[in-house]
Amino acid sequence: GAGVSQSPSNKVTEKGKDVELRCDPISGHTALYWYRQSLGQGLEFLIYFQGNSAPDKSGLPSDRFSAERTGGSVSTLTIQRTQQEDSAVYLCASSLVVAGNTGELFFGEGSRLTVL
Amino acid sequence: RKEVEQDPGPFNVPEGATVAFNCTYSNSASQSFFWYRQDCRKEPKLLMSVYSSGNEDGRFTAQLNRASQYISLLIRDSKLSDSATYLCVVNMGNTPLVFGKGTRLSVIA
């Protein structure tokens, strides 16, 4: 597709359930990022991929969070045993290379997660 | 100290006004700087890069002061369509971009 595609756009789940969020980056973009944004808050970095490798997992809030990327393309962010504080918009972005001096990340529209 | 700090606002200004936002960053080794714009319930999008010499794009002017570790964004002749949240973004080296929490602007008719 022309842009970064994320699914589902909205997800409501019960506390304790697992959820999977998917990101399909712009074709040819080697770098892929996951951020989350809670209501009224800034973007919180979670993890990024260079190809299929994740050099920096420091932002993952707990071991309930994991992510993978296969084929240098699609990425999945998995949250196990969801908690109410996991409720947020999960934003995926991609860039041609790890965004250094160009600074241009292309974001998807996000997956809004609500944990009841 | 937070890595990137911004006044959250909101800044409520009339159409045609000039408004300026500042942002400070903590890491003196930061390499490059950007302003992103985020409309309500939408994803962030790159507005402009910030160069050491300052740069202008139409009604928007960005400036960098490395000595004081702050970045500014000036919007002249504000339009209703400028209403959004403006995110200050910093590249601190071999790490992903760090985003400020944003400054909310409302331009009022």
Side-chain angles (χ1 to χ4, degrees), chain A residues 50-91:
Chain A
Q50 177 63 40
N52 291 333
S53 301
D56 187 354
K57 300 182 182 180
S58 62
L60 293 177
S62 75
D63 59 8
R64 296 185 296 104
F65 288 71
S66 63
E68 64 174 13
R69 188 180 186 195
T70 55
S73 182
V74 172
S75 175
T76 302
L77 177 69
T78 302
I79 310 172
Q80 295 178 307
R81 305 181 303 282
T82 52
Q83 304 294 312
Q84 288 183 330
E85 61 264 27
D86 300 334
S87 296
V89 176
Y90 289 80
L91 289 160

Side-chain angles (χ1 to χ4, degrees), chain B residues 74-93:
Chain B
L74 182 80
I75 306 175
R76 289 183 300 278
D77 188 23
S78 300
K79 311 290 184 193
L80 294 175
S81 56
D82 294 334
S83 297
T85 297
Y86 291 84
L87 306 172
C88 175
V89 183
V90 177
N91 172 18
M92 297 190 177

Side-chain angles (χ1 to χ4, degrees), chain B residues 9-30:
Chain B
F11 284 60
N12 299 315
V13 303
E15 271 187 294
T18 294
V19 61
F21 312 132
N22 286 334
C23 161
T24 58
Y25 59 95
S26 60
N27 187 341
S28 60
S30 297

Side-chain angles (χ1 to χ4, degrees), chain B:
Chain B
R1 181 181 173 187
K2 292 193 171 65
E3 291 181 301
V4 179
E5 291 202 67
Q6 297 182 250
D7 181 344
F11 284 60
N12 299 315
V13 303
E15 271 187 294
T18 294
V19 61
F21 312 132
N22 286 334
C23 161
T24 58
Y25 59 95
S26 60
N27 187 341
S28 60
S30 297
Q31 299 176 354
S32 45
F33 311 89
F34 313 91
W35 284 100
Y36 272 65
R37 169 187 170 136
Q38 185 172 24
D39 292 311
C40 188
R41 299 178 78 86
K42 295 286 190 182
E43 71 276 19
K45 292 183 181 177
L46 178 66
L47 176 66
M48 61 195 300
S49 301
V50 185
Y51 302 126
S52 297
S53 54
N55 50 298
E56 191 172 302
D57 183 1
R59 297 180 294 108
F60 297 81
T61 301
Q63 294 202 310
L64 167 66
N65 184 321
R66 282 191 186 272
S68 301
Q69 293 179 211
Y70 82 78
I71 307 143
S72 64
L73 177 68
L74 182 80
I75 306 175
R76 289 183 300 278
D77 188 23
S78 300
K79 311 290 184 193
L80 294 175
S81 56
D82 294 334
S83 297
T85 297
Y86 291 84
L87 306 172
C88 175
V89 183
V90 177
N91 172 18
M92 297 190 177
N94 291 326
T95 59
L97 299 178
V98 179
F99 286 74
K101 290 190 176 182
T103 299
R104 191 152 58 92
L105 171 66
S106 289
V107 181
I108 304 159

